[in-house]
Amino acid sequence: MKKRPIEILVLSDIHLGTVGCHALELLQYLNSVNPKVIILNGDFIDVWNFKKYYWPDSHMMVLRTLITSMANGTDIYYLTGNHDEVLRKVSSLQLGPLFIRDKLVLNLNGERVWIFHGDIFDITMKHSKWIAKAGSHGYELLIILNRLTNYISEKLGKGKFSLSKKIKDSVKKAVRFIDDFETTAMDLAIEEGYDYVICGHIHQPKIRGYENEKGSVIYMNSGDWIENLTALEYDGEEWSMYRYSEGEFEAINRIEKNIKKRTIDDEVLIG
């Protein structure tokens, strides 16, 4: 399988170590691209919800894939989030091609790009961390319930749906929080003179323009690998949103299986 070249890949909110993480899907995606730089924008490993007894092979394979990428020349910037905030104690650390930071500023074609996780805008994080952690555990339970309901729904031929997404979209406070988060990030980015601002944290993939009386900015959010399975890609000129598609990789897997089958058949005939 030929890998698609990318200049910069931004991933956030993967939450390795939790039941909700779509590690296998992420592996398929990572094995299909060849980025020069990977930015893990917070909550890569979920320290809050980490359990010693839950670490599937697929989660370890994600780590190995990223280590292999570094060995092959890819730089990885690990930007800390709230679920992996313990790494903020070492946020100036560099281990070869691995950089641990709290934020990152890039200059791309003369434009300044500001990248950080975004939990600094979360009031519950600042003043009531226990509430945020309780909400996180509740969210994980909701994801487990969602997996069960989707299994039953698919058996009945009705397809998948996201419980947490439906709840977020229907609760006015949640919608207002997302709007406030984005507006705060964009206003601050304009104030600081940035052309782009990239966040994670709220699990809402988006690319949008914004303008106020002081200027304009492009806001981007890379989403997550719990519900949306999205990433931001930069090809050297433009940013775009990647969305995982099962059908895309089913086709690739069928082609690879056919190639392997033909190779085996040819070896049998030759032998």
Side-chain angles (χ1 to χ4, degrees):
M1 176 182 166
K2 189 176 180 181
K3 292 190 175 185
R4 184 164 52 85
I6 298 173
E7 287 290 318
I8 301 171
L9 168 62
V10 182
L11 297 160
S12 67
D13 300 274
I14 292 168
H15 292 273
L16 282 181
T18 66
V19 177
C21 174
H22 285 268
L24 285 173
E25 290 84 349
L26 178 59
L27 275 169
Q28 285 186 312
Y29 172 55
L30 288 174
N31 287 322
S32 73
V33 295
N34 183 24
K36 291 182 180 178
V37 176
I38 297 175
I39 300 169
L40 303 172
N41 194 11
D43 293 358
F44 174 60
I45 296 176
D46 195 327
V47 179
W48 282 7
N49 297 309
F50 186 83
K51 299 172 183 66
K52 291 181 180 178
Y53 59 82
Y54 187 80
W55 186 260
D57 289 343
S58 58
H59 292 218
M60 181 58 73
M61 286 171 68
V62 170
L63 290 179
R64 287 174 179 164
T65 299
L66 292 173
I67 291 169
T68 300
S69 295
M70 287 190 287
N72 291 332
T74 299
D75 285 338
I76 294 184
Y77 288 85
Y78 191 131
L79 307 187
T80 58
N82 49 310
H83 285 252
D84 46 23
E85 63 182 346
V86 65
L87 291 175
R88 286 177 176 162
K89 296 176 182 178
V90 291
S91 60
S92 59
L93 183 67
Q94 179 184 349
L95 296 171
L98 174 63
F99 303 81
I100 299 177
R101 300 287 186 269
D102 293 331
K103 59 185 178 181
L104 183 64
V105 175
L106 300 177
N107 195 314
L108 303 175
N109 296 324
E111 295 181 310
R112 299 178 74 216
V113 184
W114 187 26
I115 310 172
F116 60 99
H117 185 61
D119 56 293
I120 59 169
F121 299 139
D122 195 334
I123 293 172
T124 58
M125 279 299 305
K126 287 182 179 179
H127 304 293
S128 305
K129 192 176 290 186
W130 68 270
I131 295 176
K133 288 188 175 182
S136 175
H137 291 308
Y139 179 68
E140 188 178 22
L141 288 172
L142 187 61
I143 292 296
I144 294 170
L145 177 61
N146 202 169
R147 288 271 178 101
L148 178 61
T149 54
N150 275 336
Y151 175 79
I152 296 170
S153 180
E154 285 191 299
K155 288 291 183 183
L156 297 173
K158 294 185 177 180
K160 295 180 180 180
F161 64 96
S162 173
L163 280 173
S164 56
K165 207 167 187 179
K166 282 184 178 293
I167 291 171
K168 281 181 188 175
D169 292 344
S170 62
V171 177
K172 288 182 179 179
K173 282 188 178 180
V175 174
R176 196 183 310 124
F177 167 76
I178 291 166
D179 286 342
D180 290 347
F181 175 95
E182 293 175 354
T183 302
T184 301
M186 292 183 293
D187 283 338
L188 189 56
I190 291 171
E191 188 78 31
E192 297 296 324
Y194 293 104
D195 300 290
Y196 293 84
V197 57
I198 299 176
C199 298
H201 188 55
I202 57 173
H203 295 210
Q204 294 289 314
K206 188 176 289 187
I207 298 177
R208 62 171 287 195
Y210 175 79
E211 188 175 349
N212 64 18
E213 67 279 0
K214 294 182 180 179
S216 62
V217 72
I218 302 294
Y219 166 86
M220 294 185 280
N221 194 299
S222 44
D224 66 285
W225 284 80
I226 300 292
E227 298 173 75
N228 296 291
L229 283 62
T230 53
L232 287 168
E233 299 180 352
Y234 180 70
D235 64 5
E237 294 183 1
E238 292 183 329
W239 288 94
S240 61
M241 183 71 69
Y242 170 86
R243 293 179 183 272
Y244 176 87
S245 166
E246 288 182 3
E248 172 189 352
F249 289 101
E250 282 175 7
I252 290 170
N253 291 337
R254 282 199 300 271
I255 291 168
E256 288 182 341
K257 284 178 183 177
N258 286 336
I259 290 171
K260 287 177 182 177
K261 184 177 183 300
R262 285 177 198 157
T263 304
I264 293 168
D265 289 345
D266 289 344
E267 287 175 353
V268 171
L269 288 171
I270 292 168

